[in-house]
């Protein structure tokens, strides 16, 4: 495996552009090819980001022998079929979060990848940000003592567009999968993805998807997580981790540039002066794993991604929310 990973970008939407721009900051990867269902879209994207190859179909992209890894950047109802297409072509895959729309789909992907010894990872980019890595380091060192409470919110007020991705049930819309995956994954990083008890409430809007929600997880021994998410309500988007000896505050935790350690009245601040958005770090992780011959990342393991999706299914079940295609 070359030390420079040649990336293929599957999809040409907003998240594809964000990831592709950030690849310029990755130490071990480059944007090599892009694929779209429409030739014009692929060519326009390739020209804008100076990508060498533009493929007029996803099939052409995944069968490009020069491509080492593919970033799947399509809406989440299409993740399963798109990832399987990549895996069947023998490609390593980084799939934008949420991995799929339900646990059954992600279990199928993980099973195929493992049976065929192929690399697969959920694109939970927050896990790889330097500030979040520093937070894990503080926790591993016991800086705040025994962890008792996690609080995390992510919400924004999107325009009311019933046909748009965020509010359209046929596109897997709603706050839980789009925004909620961040606080849920954050809590999972600290306490694990299998709480003993799950309580939740949601506002189901006119289009039939969850516009706002609140979650309370209990992990036993007095450990809890309080999480909120929304696509029609602006939230603080901060995260807090409270321990018996102090606490950690992470402003704008999903794209964190800073983290604060509060112990005995003293504050230690970690600051990340990166120029990139932050997607380059997950790209570097995939490259590192491929170079080392690994088929999954220890930072966001496949078993954890499956458990998180099962948890999201459980929460939706409490609301009686199913998508039309399920």
């Amino acid at each position: 495996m070359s030390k420079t990973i040649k990336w293929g970008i599957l999809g040409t939407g907003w998240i594809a552009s964000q990831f592709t721009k950030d690849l310029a900051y990755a130490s071990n990867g480059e944007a090599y090819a892009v694929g779209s269902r429409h030739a014009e879209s692929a060519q326009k994207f390739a020209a804008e980001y100076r990508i060498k190859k533009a493929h007029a179909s996803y099939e052409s992209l995944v069968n490009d022998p020069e491509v080492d890894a593919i970033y799947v950047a399509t809406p989440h109802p299409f993740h399963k079929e798109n990832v399987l297409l990549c895996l069947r072509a023998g490609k390593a895959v980084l799939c934008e979060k949420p991995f799929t729309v339900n646990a059954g789909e992600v279990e199928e992907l993980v099973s195929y990848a493992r049976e065929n010894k192929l690399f697969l990872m959920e694109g939970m980019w927050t896990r790889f940000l330097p500030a979040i890595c520093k937070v894990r380091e503080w926790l591993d060192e016991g800086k705040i003592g025994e962890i008792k409470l996690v609080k995390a919110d992510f919400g924004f007020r999107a325009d009311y567009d019933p046909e748009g991705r965020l509010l359209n049930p046929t596109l897997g819309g709603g706050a839980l999968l789009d925004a909620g995956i961040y606080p849920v994954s954050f809590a999972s990083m600290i306490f694990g993805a299998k709480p003993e008890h799950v309580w939740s409430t949601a506002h189901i809007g006119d289009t039939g998807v969850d516009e706002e929600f609140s979650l309370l997880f209990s992990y036993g021994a007095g450990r809890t997580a309080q999480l909120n998410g929304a696509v029609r309500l602006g939230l603080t988007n901060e995260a807090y981790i409270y321990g018996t000896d102090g606490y950690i505050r992470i402003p704008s935790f999903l794209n964190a540039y800073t983290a604060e350690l509060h112990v005995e009245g003293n504050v230690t601040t970690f600051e990340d002066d990166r120029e990139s958005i932050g997607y380059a770090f997950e790209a570097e992780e995939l490259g590192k794993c491929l170079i080392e011959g690994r088929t999954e990342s220890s930072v966001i393991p496949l078993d954890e991604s499956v458990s998180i999706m099962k948890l999201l299914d459980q929460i939706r079940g409490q609301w009686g929310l199913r998508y039309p295609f399920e």
Side-chain angles (χ1 to χ4, degrees):
M1 176 63 67
S2 168
K3 289 186 178 180
T4 299
I5 304 302
K6 293 182 178 179
W7 282 89
I9 311 299
L10 194 150
T12 56
W14 180 82
I15 194 65
S17 67
Q18 297 294 98
F19 180 84
T20 302
K21 284 189 289 188
D22 242 37
L23 272 179
Y25 297 94
S27 61
N28 58 4
E30 65 171 332
Y32 179 81
V34 61
S36 174
R37 292 170 298 176
H38 307 286
E40 182 179 353
S41 177
Q43 290 165 1
K44 181 179 178 182
F45 193 93
E48 182 174 358
Y49 297 107
R50 299 180 181 179
I51 296 175
K52 295 179 181 178
K53 291 186 178 180
H55 292 276
S57 69
Y58 296 156
E59 290 77 11
S60 177
L61 172 69
V62 303
N63 288 303
D64 186 330
E66 294 297 315
V67 171
D68 300 312
I70 294 179
Y71 173 62
V72 173
T74 51
H76 34 272
F78 307 109
H79 285 178
K80 177 193 165 185
E81 63 181 87
N82 295 156
V83 171
L84 274 178
L85 182 70
C86 299
L87 293 175
R88 287 169 178 157
K91 302 301 186 185
V93 181
L94 173 66
C95 180
E96 176 58 26
K97 63 80 200 163
F99 221 147
T100 56
V101 294
N102 57 48
E105 290 188 348
V106 73
E107 286 178 317
E108 183 177 345
L109 297 181
V110 169
S111 177
Y112 188 93
R114 285 177 168 166
E115 287 175 4
N116 293 277
K117 298 180 173 56
L118 295 168
F119 184 91
L120 178 62
M121 186 175 88
E122 180 181 12
M124 181 46 66
W125 65 299
T126 296
R127 289 280 178 103
F128 303 94
L129 298 175
I132 301 301
C133 293
K134 176 55 71 172
V135 167
R136 289 200 297 270
E137 182 181 311
W138 285 338
L139 296 178
D140 289 343
E141 293 172 351
K143 296 289 189 182
I144 62 171
E146 184 181 357
I147 305 167
K148 288 292 188 177
L149 173 64
V150 169
K151 297 175 67 176
D153 301 336
F154 178 48
F156 51 91
R157 183 166 177 80
D159 293 336
Y160 185 76
D161 180 4
E163 300 302 318
R165 179 180 63 84
L166 291 175
L167 298 179
N168 189 338
T170 64
L171 295 177
L176 185 64
L177 292 191
D178 195 84
I181 185 69
Y182 285 109
V184 171
S185 184
F186 184 80
S188 176
M189 180 184 77
I190 297 164
F191 285 141
K194 297 179 180 179
E196 293 182 1
H197 301 285
V198 175
W199 296 274
S200 69
T201 184
H203 167 61
I204 307 299
D206 294 339
T207 65
V209 302
D210 54 306
E211 294 186 1
E212 299 100 30
F213 68 82
S214 294
L215 311 174
L216 177 63
F217 298 162
S218 171
Y219 301 85
R223 299 174 301 154
T224 59
Q226 300 173 4
L227 315 171
N228 300 284
V231 292
R232 292 280 290 155
L233 183 67
L235 302 178
T236 63
N237 303 337
E238 294 188 334
Y240 290 83
I241 308 168
Y242 295 93
T244 52
D245 298 330
Y247 70 93
I248 295 169
R249 172 178 176 258
I250 312 168
S252 189
F253 78 96
L254 74 156
N255 63 343
Y257 283 84
T258 63
E260 301 170 0
L261 173 65
H262 296 253
V263 178
E264 297 181 348
N266 298 313
V267 181
T268 300
T269 302
F270 173 87
E271 296 185 357
D272 174 17
D273 60 355
R274 69 178 187 271
E275 296 180 3
S276 67
I277 304 168
Y279 295 100
F281 300 112
E282 63 178 356
E284 288 181 334
E285 171 71 3
L286 180 144
K288 181 180 178 183
C289 288
L290 288 190
I291 291 167
E292 294 176 354
R294 292 186 282 141
T295 55
E296 63 182 280
S297 168
S298 61
V299 179
I300 179 74
L302 292 174
D303 285 342
E304 184 183 2
S305 289
V306 171
S307 294
I308 290 173
M309 192 55 64
K310 287 181 177 179
L311 183 55
L312 298 183
D313 284 355
Q314 180 183 352
I315 294 164
R316 281 201 295 126
Q318 293 182 354
W319 305 338
L321 175 58
R322 290 178 61 87
Y323 299 113
F325 47 80
E326 289 186 297

